[in-house]
Amino acid sequence: MDSRVPLHVQNILNDYINLFQNKVPNTLEGFYLHGSIALNAYINGSSDIDFIAVVNRSLTEEDMKVISDLHKELNQKYKDTGMDGSYLLDEDVGKKQSEVTGCLKVNEGKTNWGNDDMNPITWWILKNKGITVLGPDVATYNFSVDERVLADYVLENMNSYWSSRLKKIKKYKAFLIPNKLVDLEVEWSITGILRQFYTLQEYMIVSKVDACKYAIHHLPEEFHNIINEAISIREGSNIRYCNSKKQRIDDTIQCMDYILKHCNRVKN
């Protein structure tokens, strides 16, 4: 298997492929990694295994139950590492979300019909950084991701998901929120929105930590502490840069608010 894939993940994928071939034989044609592993940013115990699985026929409700049980079995065996991905036909690789139907989606051990992964971010990483585990080399898939399409998708995501999350954080009362939940919020929101910021600036995609390091050189100094804190939490370090829970929440709000306004001003 590709040396970029951590040994722990290789073990999981070998188990997965053996299970799949036994339970749903003669169906899996290709298996490809995107996400943190492809971006060389996998963190054991924190990152998921993001994948696109290519099948040679439309899956049925019966297939869904078998695949669902398969992923539940793996989830029980490897509790710290989840698989997050989609099953689709060869001709659907690289297509727009609206063009894909009958797609099976796996997330956090749960399996449902859905096409959430069919977006420019998934396709950009797969096209430019994707790792082939099984089947034809990912480079043989003939699709591309236009820079403008990628930027439009990211900006829309910022003005929907991230804008809504910011409104939610503004309602937080610091004294009611446990430290662990504040850590989770700082890590998720700061690294997440700065990854969007990087893509809008550079028309590329990097890991969350690399996006944060980039932001240190491109954002006002007043946001450096909360960015460094997010990096520290993401990497599992105990180093903290803010003096209190209230400061961490306030700085998260101010940083997110600045990024949203800046990106809308620049891109519109």
Side-chain angles (χ1 to χ4, degrees):
M1 198 173 294
D2 193 299
S3 61
R4 290 175 292 171
V5 183
L7 288 176
H8 172 67
V9 174
Q10 291 188 32
N11 291 334
I12 297 173
L13 293 181
N14 285 331
D15 268 7
Y16 160 80
I17 291 170
N18 287 332
L19 281 171
F20 198 99
Q21 303 288 33
N22 286 329
K23 295 178 181 292
V24 195
N26 305 315
T27 302
L28 189 64
E29 292 289 306
F31 191 90
Y32 307 95
L33 299 175
H34 60 97
S36 59
I37 296 174
L39 294 171
N40 197 30
Y42 178 82
I43 299 174
N44 193 25
S46 174
S47 299
D48 290 326
I49 301 172
D50 299 297
F51 72 90
I52 291 291
V54 176
V55 291
N56 58 17
R57 60 175 176 81
S58 296
L59 298 175
T60 65
E61 290 290 338
E62 184 178 348
D63 292 325
M64 175 184 170
K65 185 180 185 310
V66 173
I67 293 170
S68 176
D69 290 343
L70 180 158
H71 281 286
K72 286 177 182 176
E73 182 178 338
L74 287 170
N75 214 42
Q76 284 296 313
K77 185 174 181 180
Y78 302 102
K79 296 182 184 297
D80 293 334
T81 307
M83 293 183 69
D84 185 355
S86 296
Y87 293 85
L88 65 160
L89 298 171
D90 179 276
E91 60 263 30
D92 289 333
V93 175
K95 281 188 176 180
K96 296 177 182 177
Q97 189 176 56
S98 60
E99 298 173 336
V100 180
T101 59
C103 177
L104 200 61
K105 166 73 177 173
V106 178
N107 179 249
E108 296 181 350
K110 298 178 181 178
T111 306
N112 295 290
W113 299 106
N115 56 3
D116 294 353
D117 280 345
M118 310 302 107
N119 62 67
I121 292 176
T122 295
W123 299 139
W124 190 96
I125 298 175
L126 194 68
K127 184 69 175 179
N128 293 280
K129 305 283 185 178
I131 297 173
T132 303
V133 175
L134 179 73
D137 193 288
V138 68
T140 63
Y141 285 94
N142 185 27
F143 69 92
S144 60
V145 181
D146 182 83
E147 286 185 353
R148 188 68 257 171
V149 171
L150 178 63
D152 287 348
Y153 176 83
V154 168
L155 190 60
E156 192 281 328
N157 183 254
M158 292 182 80
N159 286 322
S160 53
Y161 175 81
W162 290 108
S163 179
S164 296
R165 194 166 190 94
L166 175 58
K167 291 176 183 176
K168 177 183 175 182
I169 299 171
K170 286 180 176 178
K171 296 178 181 179
Y172 283 1
K173 305 295 182 184
F175 64 91
L176 294 175
I177 310 294
N179 283 324
K180 186 175 181 179
L181 290 183
V182 175
D183 274 5
L184 289 172
E185 190 61 67
V186 170
E187 188 269 328
W188 178 259
S189 292
I190 293 297
T191 64
I193 203 166
L194 291 181
R195 196 179 189 189
Q196 315 293 307
F197 169 73
Y198 177 91
T199 297
L200 287 173
Q201 295 291 118
E202 302 295 336
Y203 296 98
M204 295 190 295
I205 299 170
V206 293
S207 71
K208 291 179 176 180
V209 169
D210 284 342
C212 286
K213 292 177 179 177
Y214 172 91
I216 293 275
H217 299 288
H218 292 82
L219 295 185
E221 189 174 353
E222 64 189 280
F223 302 125
H224 291 187
N225 279 346
I226 196 65
I227 295 171
N228 280 316
E229 186 133 327
I231 294 172
S232 178
I233 297 167
R234 179 75 180 168
E235 294 184 333
S237 168
N238 291 320
I239 300 172
R240 292 295 179 266
Y241 296 83
C242 298
N243 296 323
S244 66
K245 277 196 297 185
K246 184 177 186 306
Q247 183 190 353
R248 297 164 77 202
I249 293 172
D250 288 348
D251 285 2
T252 297
I253 290 170
Q254 290 167 22
C255 184
M256 292 179 72
D257 195 51
Y258 177 90
I259 292 296
L260 282 166
K261 290 177 179 175
H262 171 81
C263 289
N264 277 290
R265 184 172 63 249
V266 170
K267 296 301 174 184
N268 289 325

